[in-house]
Amino acid sequence: MPEPSLAGAAGRGEASRDPAGPPPIKGFIETSFIDWRGYISAVLFLPGCNFACPYCHNYTLVNDPEAYLTLDLDEVLARLKPFVGWIDGVVVSGGEPTLHPGLAGLVESLRAIGFKVKLDTNGSRPETVRDLCQEGLLEMVSMDLKAPLDPLSYARAAGKAVAVERVAATLDYLRSSGMLHEIRSTIWPAWHGPEELKDMAQAVEGCQNWTLQALNPANAWNRLPLGPGEAYTSDELARLQTGLADAACRPPGRDF
Ligand code: SF4
């Protein structure tokens, strides 16, 4: 995920359902071509995360969010408004956005000026994802699947113990709800070998899309847990994408 912009000023916008106000916005990209497939999008970054993935590239946003200025929501909305019709939507990313009680209000503010909204999530808050979807606030959800859905594999990839049944519940909701979604996995050969990838492929069966990306250890939060191995090459990744990931999500009878 791109590095958040540091530009901004301290403050708080008006629109939020939560008395504490909208979530702090710690980064803002006006135009991105890579954060929402097929869309030109803006991206907002919210701080904090309940995971500590060793390969996280946004770890300052996770462990030291005060290093970033808080952007004023009203100023962000004013900056975005002229782009309605040119930018297709706004991605709300992080960190983990669902940790913030004012998230629904923030999404409503973005929708009120004319944008579709995609949520990026690690899937640990199924109720929040479900509520936002059921209220019709989101156009799309991108959810991470970090490992096979067993506690040991997930703890290694997420850097701490994770209630995997909650991640599975989000996955099940997205699969069964008809909500537009994609599942994303950052893979590393030592953690995601053939057996692990097979388990993950079973977990995403019936989902709309599963995208694999190679873990890049260069900017990792903590390189040590990754061990001395090498990343998947682009050829290996392409083979896994078409041979495994695309196949796992292909409905019977669809051959593309
Ligand atoms: S889920 Fe992991 S990679 Fe994503 S923001 Fe949290 S710590 Fe970083």
Side-chain angles (χ1 to χ4, degrees):
M1 159 181 345
E3 290 299 312
S5 158
L6 293 179
R12 174 176 285 169
E14 295 301 321
S16 173
R17 295 171 174 189
D18 191 84
I25 298 168
K26 292 291 185 176
F28 171 43
I29 295 175
E30 269 178 3
T31 47
S32 165
F33 296 90
I34 59 171
D35 286 273
W36 192 342
R37 193 199 308 247
Y39 273 42
I40 301 170
S41 64
V43 188
L44 303 184
F45 295 90
L46 307 187
C49 189
N50 50 349
F51 290 4
C53 311
Y55 56 85
C56 182
H57 289 188
N58 276 351
Y59 52 88
T60 310
L61 201 58
V62 173
N63 71 354
D64 187 18
E66 297 314 314
Y68 298 96
L69 291 172
T70 299
L71 302 167
D72 182 271
L73 174 59
D74 293 328
E75 285 180 23
V76 171
L77 295 175
R79 288 258 297 273
L80 281 172
K81 215 167 175 177
F83 291 102
V84 174
W86 191 73
I87 289 176
D88 302 301
V90 179
V91 177
V92 179
S93 190
E96 175 49 37
T98 63
L99 299 183
H100 295 278
L103 177 61
L106 171 65
V107 174
E108 282 176 338
S109 304
L110 295 166
R111 291 177 59 82
I113 59 169
F115 290 112
K116 296 172 179 169
V117 178
K118 175 169 89 82
L119 174 71
D120 288 350
T121 178
N122 62 22
S124 61
R125 298 281 179 113
E127 300 85 1
T128 304
V129 172
R130 181 202 58 207
D131 290 351
L132 291 167
C133 292
Q134 287 184 346
E135 289 182 47
L137 294 178
L138 300 176
E139 180 76 8
M140 184 171 179
V141 177
S142 288
M143 177 189 150
D144 297 338
L145 178 69
K146 296 187 179 290
L149 286 166
D150 68 79
L152 280 179
S153 300
Y154 231 87
R156 180 171 62 179
K160 55 169 66 172
V162 169
V164 289
E165 66 279 5
R166 294 181 60 71
V167 176
T170 309
L171 201 55
D172 285 342
Y173 172 73
L174 293 176
R175 181 178 13 233
S176 61
S177 64
M179 184 72 202
L180 195 59
H181 67 273
E182 65 174 352
I183 311 302
R184 301 179 305 191
S185 297
T186 302
I187 58 173
W188 178 247
W191 294 355
H192 304 91
E195 283 307 309
E196 289 85 0
L197 289 170
K198 195 170 139 206
D199 287 350
M200 292 166 74
Q202 281 172 357
V204 301
E205 211 171 305
C207 289
Q208 292 166 1
N209 205 319
W210 183 28
T211 301
L212 305 178
Q213 57 190 22
L215 188 153
N216 175 4
N219 302 314
W221 186 349
N222 181 3
R223 180 69 173 78
L224 271 180
L226 302 176
E230 299 284 325
Y232 278 112
T233 65
S234 52
D235 282 351
E236 289 168 333
L237 192 69
R239 274 198 295 275
L240 287 169
Q241 182 63 50
T242 52
L244 180 83
D246 293 349
C249 294
R250 188 182 297 146
R254 197 183 89 183
D255 58 0
F256 58 91

